[in-house]
Amino acid sequence: MTYNELKEQENQYVMNTYGRFDIALDHGEGAKLWDVEGKRYIDLTSGIGVCCLGYNNEKIIDAITEQAHKMMHVSNLFTTAPMVQTAKTLCEQTGMGKVFFANSGAEANEGMIKLARKYSYDKYGEGRAEIVTLHNSFHGRTVTTLKATGQEKFHQYFFPFTEGFAYADANDIDSVKAAVNAHTCAVMMELIQGEGGVMPLDKAFVKEVQQFCRENDLLLLIDEVQTGIGRTGSLFAFQQYGIQPDVVSMAKGLGGGVPIGAVMAAKTCDTVLGPGTHATTFGGTPMICAAANAVLSEVTKPEFLQSVNEKGEYFKKQLMAMNSDKIQGVRGMGLMVGIVVDADERAALVKQIMDKGVLVLTAGTNVIRLLPPLSISYEEMDEALAIMKTVFCK
Ligand SMILES: *Cc1c(COP(=O)(O)O)cnc(C)c1O
């Protein structure tokens, strides 16, 4: 089927909720993708940070296939080994206590919010359920996580939203303190605001928030849905910030291409969600956890994480070396890279880069965001950089 034929059927049968690019993808190999008409792309998106080991990683394929032959799904009424293994690895790697499995980032954040509210309810009773999040954040698309997202444009149409969220400015501890009151139970944030524009928070600010949370028995909730699973050069970004969060959410990269989310709680609050308080049919299902185990066994290797750091530095260095007056700055950690451009120029730049065969993302109002597969090769990076250079240095 040609692109136009496919697009026509999509327009007829699929709800038009995404501003899709004019590309229909067909298959991939490593960090390369081909569209339905055979055009090849270097991919710097990894399905929005999902396909961390590329599009057809043999170890993930084998893990899924083997588990599918054995038993695809049972239900959370039974114990299964792949799920236990995923949770064990996550805890051993981070010093956290226990894990709950969900199916997406928003759902993981829902679990994190429920945990924080119940922690406070168990200890202080009703009326202490507010959560402070940051302006410019992104936490998901459910009715609750939309409201947790600190951007007014997400608080439309779907009224009434879940109540109990207040917003503070990033990198401003006084603003956080001002947003907290006797009804607050937690502070929730991304360490690098992803959708908001690849904005890393200041380390000093994050440590101050942690201290303030400890002093007031507020849970520190870290949304690592985008920054987790090796993306920033450590398994989780919080490990580079020198903090120990109370709860961490994750999703995107954890399954390497299959849907999974998880909430991970510190030992001090890992029994808050007890029997009957939280559940989901698919969470932790064996086939998906088999994929997560294949991802984690690769991504937790120190030399793998080191390579993510090196590739990230390489990207930043090569982008800066272009000396393009179109590039106003390059920021991020590991292979989460934001190129700051003129907001009015961005759409045209992205279109030219895509037309020439490199897939990129955007974030915020003026950022071109790169989230390549963590396994991208230097050859693939060089090809993508050379193409971007022809656009940035025209
Ligand atoms: C993508 C993302 C989410 C939402 O994840 P979904 O799987 O799309 O529900 C939440 N938080 C952050 C930081 C994200 O990047």
Side-chain angles (χ1 to χ4, degrees):
M1 219 185 284
T2 65
Y3 173 77
N4 287 333
E5 288 163 352
L6 194 57
K7 193 68 193 174
E8 199 174 300
Q9 296 199 4
E10 181 185 73
N11 289 342
Q12 186 175 353
Y13 295 113
V14 181
M15 283 193 203
N16 182 25
T17 62
Y18 300 96
R20 289 199 169 93
F21 295 112
D22 296 334
I23 298 170
L25 293 169
D26 182 68
H27 64 281
E29 166 83 48
K32 297 182 199 76
L33 285 166
W34 283 262
D35 70 16
V36 290
E37 290 172 347
K39 181 171 169 182
R40 171 179 166 286
Y41 299 86
I42 302 288
D43 170 63
L44 305 183
T45 73
S46 61
I48 318 189
V50 168
C51 300
C52 52
L53 300 182
Y55 286 90
N56 59 347
N57 180 275
E58 287 299 333
K59 286 182 182 149
I60 301 178
I61 295 168
D62 288 349
I64 293 172
T65 316
E66 223 170 275
Q67 187 58 47
H69 280 288
K70 259 175 95 172
M71 176 176 78
M72 283 196 216
H73 172 79
V74 279
S75 87
N76 279 303
L77 302 176
F78 302 95
T79 300
T80 54
M83 172 194 68
V84 175
Q85 179 61 52
T86 310
K88 181 165 178 261
T89 306
L90 287 169
C91 292
E92 283 175 353
Q93 289 287 329
T94 57
M96 299 292 277
K98 295 189 204 301
V99 178
F100 173 89
F101 290 102
N103 309 288
S104 69
E107 215 190 311
N109 284 338
E110 289 268 349
M112 184 154 77
I113 290 163
K114 281 177 75 175
L115 193 157
R117 285 184 165 182
K118 185 164 181 297
Y119 172 87
S120 193
Y121 176 85
D122 289 348
K123 219 165 156 178
Y124 303 98
E126 268 183 67
R128 192 177 178 277
E130 257 185 48
I131 297 174
V132 173
T133 71
L134 299 182
H135 287 128
N136 200 44
S137 57
F138 181 79
H139 296 298
R141 292 284 194 161
T142 60
V143 173
T144 296
T145 56
L146 276 173
K147 193 66 176 171
T149 293
Q151 301 186 51
E152 268 314 306
K153 69 174 185 210
F154 288 99
H155 306 162
Q156 293 183 56
Y157 320 122
F158 310 111
F159 307 100
F161 288 97
T162 306
E163 49 188 297
F165 291 94
Y167 312 99
D169 293 331
N171 300 326
D172 181 349
I173 188 67
D174 291 332
S175 169
V176 173
K177 288 178 180 172
V180 167
N181 59 45
H183 307 295
T184 310
C185 68
V187 176
M188 171 172 175
M189 57 198 194
E190 307 157 86
L191 295 174
I192 304 176
Q193 296 188 323
E195 305 300 315
V198 192
M199 306 278 268
L201 298 187
D202 294 342
K203 286 191 178 156
F205 166 75
V206 172
K207 284 197 165 157
E208 284 172 326
V209 172
Q210 168 169 268
Q211 194 191 337
F212 182 68
C213 285
R214 296 280 185 273
E215 287 165 6
N216 294 282
D217 199 15
L218 308 172
L219 293 194
L220 178 58
L221 316 179
I222 301 296
D223 178 345
E224 294 243 22
V225 169
Q226 192 159 150
T227 51
I229 319 300
R231 176 56 57 187
T232 66
S234 49
L235 186 59
F236 290 98
F238 80 76
Q239 295 168 307
Q240 291 184 64
Y241 273 83
I243 57 162
Q244 198 61 51
D246 295 299
V247 193
V248 176
S249 62
M250 69 198 83
K252 292 193 166 93
L254 179 57
V258 296
I260 182 171
V263 193
M264 178 167 71
K267 292 176 181 118
T268 45
C269 58
D270 64 3
T271 56
V272 167
L273 295 177
T277 59
H278 198 38
T280 167
T281 299
F282 284 116
T285 193
M287 198 175 70
I288 301 300
C289 284
N293 291 333
V295 169
L296 287 172
S297 66
E298 185 65 20
V299 171
T300 52
K301 288 179 187 157
E303 63 272 22
F304 183 89
L305 293 169
Q306 180 59 28
S307 78
V308 172
N309 279 310
E310 286 165 7
K311 290 176 199 175
E313 287 310 308
Y314 185 73
F315 255 116
K316 281 190 235 171
K317 207 176 107 207
Q318 297 296 322
L319 285 162
M320 291 310 290
M322 288 179 194
N323 250 324
S324 162
D325 53 14
K326 296 193 173 69
I327 297 179
Q328 297 170 2
V330 180
R331 62 185 178 224
M333 280 163 63
L335 282 172
M336 181 166 180
V337 176
I339 308 168
V340 183
V341 299
D342 195 299
D344 296 331
E345 268 188 347
R346 184 177 67 178
L349 289 169
V350 167
K351 184 168 188 325
Q352 290 172 62
I353 292 169
M354 302 273 248
D355 284 348
K356 292 187 172 191
V358 177
L359 302 182
V360 295
L361 298 162
T362 58
T365 53
N366 63 346
V367 171
I368 297 175
R369 177 175 44 152
L370 312 182
L371 296 174
L374 305 180
S375 56
I376 190 169
S377 69
Y378 278 85
E379 213 184 333
E380 288 163 334
M381 285 193 286
D382 282 339
E383 188 178 337
L385 284 160
I387 289 171
M388 286 194 281
K389 188 170 179 180
T390 66
V391 173
F392 284 128
C393 298
K394 200 165 60 177

